[in-house]
Amino acid sequence: MPTLLFTHIRPRRIRWALVLMLVMALSVGASTAHPQPAAAQPVPTDGIVCTNSGSPNAAFTLTTQTGYVGTPDDNVVFSWGFALSGSPFQYPSPVLCVSEGDAVTIVLNNTLSEDVSLVFPGQQNVLANGAPSEPQFSGSTVTSLAPVAAPGGSMSYSFVASEPGTYIYESGTNPMKQVNMGLFGVLIVRPSRGAGYAYNTDNSKFTADKEFMVLLSEIDPMLNRAVERGRPFNFNNYRPRYFMLNGRGFPDSIAPNNASWLPSQPYGSLVRVNPNDASNPDPALIRYVNVTGQDMPFHPHGYNGRVIGRDGRPLVDGSADISFEKYSVNIGPGQTWDVTAEWHDAEQYAENTNAVPVVIPNAQNIAYGEFYSGSPYLGIPGAIPVGAPNQNQCGEYYIISHNHSLFQITSWGIPMTGPITYLRVDPPLPNNCP
Ligand SMILES: [Cu+2]
């Protein structure tokens, strides 16, 4: 996989390698077609799509739903999810956003034929129908990590969101089955300090509209098929074949939020920034979340991030800033990592004054990737051969980010799909980029 090469070459050469890689990646082809309901409401084309609720009393109703997830190999996989009241199945479940100190209530309506529950790792003093939410037993056997909603029933969970950060909510009942079937989502608790901070700490400052999510999940389609058909499944045979970013595999992962051809997979994962400079002084924020059962060494090319929080706790020690710079971020099972990211035009490629010190081959000897601008300069498009497909809008850069468990960069054998997305670097502000 060319990515290994990328790690060790200089940034100015990445874009030429990227041209080749994009050709490989984009030859995979179009994605699964589905019937298309209209998007419920306008959402930003990229970045986190929050489901907000009232504050200081934040109330949500989540109903289990079943549906189908499209994968890059043109498969569709039966899955489960939590959906907002009146909304159809989605994968992953909605991103719930509340404010620090909110009294949060989440009513779970269970439409499935088995018990379901909700757990909120990182939240304290969670109540279920007003009583402490505790593991359930049959004799000495744990049957659920929390009180359940029986089939056709409901359960109301409540807690005070006392600590800002990034959290998971998920089923606490038979999680090996139910979480991998899709009963998981992300909960964001915003700090009292206000917009543009991930925590109440100075080191968590970010550009408020540059907030992104990378939610890593996995699917063993044999499990999902067995569940769809009401058949037993032997978890000794569990073997994920799909690895998803925000519920999608590449290239769907870089499509906009609410892409029409992905009606049940609403969340894109393209990270989009402008070069850091005087007009754009703060970084972007990326919230990494891993709901799989294995480490996910996520690997953004082109920049080091700064880890400013983990598992819903800020990286400060008293008044000391203990955040740290990191290239690959190794997100463990059930962990969340909050990372700020900024891209510096260290070699003045937005100025067109720093000549690329290589002889560019003749056009017939170049493979033009679909996102290549025709020029190595940021914001300065060049010529593209007639007939060459091109998605580049304003001379922006596309830099790959992906899970570095390279055996996962596949969709049941289709290489260069799966948990891959891009960092899109737009020209310096102000610009005319759409
Ligand atoms: Cu790589």
Side-chain angles (χ1 to χ4, degrees), residues 8 29 42 100 115 147 153 163 168 174 191 194 269 293 332 382 385 399 423 434:
H8 307 292
E100 179 183 357
D115 291 347
E163 301 271 357
I168 293 169
N174 201 355
S269 56
I399 304 171
L423 172 73

Side-chain angles (χ1 to χ4, degrees), residues 16-34:
W16 293 107
L18 184 64
V19 170
L20 296 172
M21 203 207 61
L22 282 169
V23 168
M24 293 168 58
L26 294 168
S27 66
V28 169
S31 287
T32 307
H34 295 265

Side-chain angles (χ1 to χ4, degrees), residues 1-4 6-7 299-301 327 400-404 406:
M1 144 123 204
T3 296
L4 288 171
F6 283 20
T7 306
H299 169 63
H301 290 214
Y327 181 44
I400 192 171
S401 303
H402 64 101
N403 190 1
H404 215 285
L406 296 182

Side-chain angles (χ1 to χ4, degrees), residues 199-425:
Y199 294 91
N200 289 309
T201 55
D202 292 343
N203 68 12
S204 72
K205 193 169 195 284
F206 68 99
T207 306
D209 65 349
K210 295 291 184 187
E211 183 184 12
F212 304 91
M213 176 175 82
V214 172
L215 167 57
L216 298 145
S217 64
E218 64 186 26
I219 296 173
D220 178 348
M222 297 305 184
L223 164 65
N224 297 50
R225 179 170 292 187
V227 170
E228 182 175 20
R229 296 180 176 181
R231 305 284 295 253
F233 182 80
N234 181 351
F235 275 93
N236 291 328
N237 298 329
Y238 178 78
R239 183 175 176 188
R241 304 288 187 167
Y242 299 108
F243 301 89
M244 312 296 263
L245 280 189
N246 295 358
R248 302 176 180 176
F250 183 84
D252 292 327
S253 57
I254 60 169
N257 291 326
N258 278 1
S260 61
W261 62 95
L262 298 162
S264 61
Q265 293 154 275
Y267 302 144
S269 56
L270 182 72
V271 172
R272 189 170 173 181
V273 300
N274 299 90
N276 185 279
D277 59 24
S279 68
N280 182 42
D282 293 323
L285 175 69
I286 308 173
R287 300 177 186 269
Y288 290 94
V289 181
N290 178 4
V291 300
T292 77
Q294 53 194 312
D295 282 349
M296 291 283 169
F298 201 84
H299 169 63
H301 290 214
Y303 65 97
N304 290 352
R306 174 162 291 277
V307 184
I308 53 93
R310 284 195 303 205
D311 300 329
R313 297 296 181 271
L315 285 181
V316 292
D317 183 1
S319 60
D321 178 356
I322 57 170
S323 65
F324 58 96
E325 193 174 313
K326 196 81 173 70
Y327 181 44
S328 187
V329 285
N330 307 304
I331 312 142
Q335 288 187 342
T336 71
W337 289 44
D338 300 311
V339 177
T340 56
E342 54 197 22
W343 192 89
H344 292 260
D345 185 15
E347 294 173 306
Q348 294 84 51
Y349 279 106
E351 310 296 331
N352 196 10
T353 55
N354 188 356
V356 174
V358 295
V359 176
I360 297 175
N362 291 329
Q364 62 267 35
N365 293 330
I366 297 177
Y368 285 81
E370 219 173 302
F371 290 92
Y372 177 53
S373 73
S375 148
Y377 298 105
L378 180 60
I380 305 170
I384 297 288
V386 174
N390 191 261
Q391 307 282 355
N392 196 286
Q393 295 179 296
C394 55
E396 72 275 18
Y397 293 160
Y398 292 89
I399 304 171
I400 192 171
S401 303
H402 64 101
N403 190 1
H404 215 285
S405 286
L406 296 182
F407 71 96
Q408 297 172 353
I409 306 298
T410 173
S411 300
W412 212 340
I414 307 294
M416 290 305 293
T417 65
I420 299 170
T421 186
Y422 284 102
L423 172 73
R424 171 175 169 159
V425 181

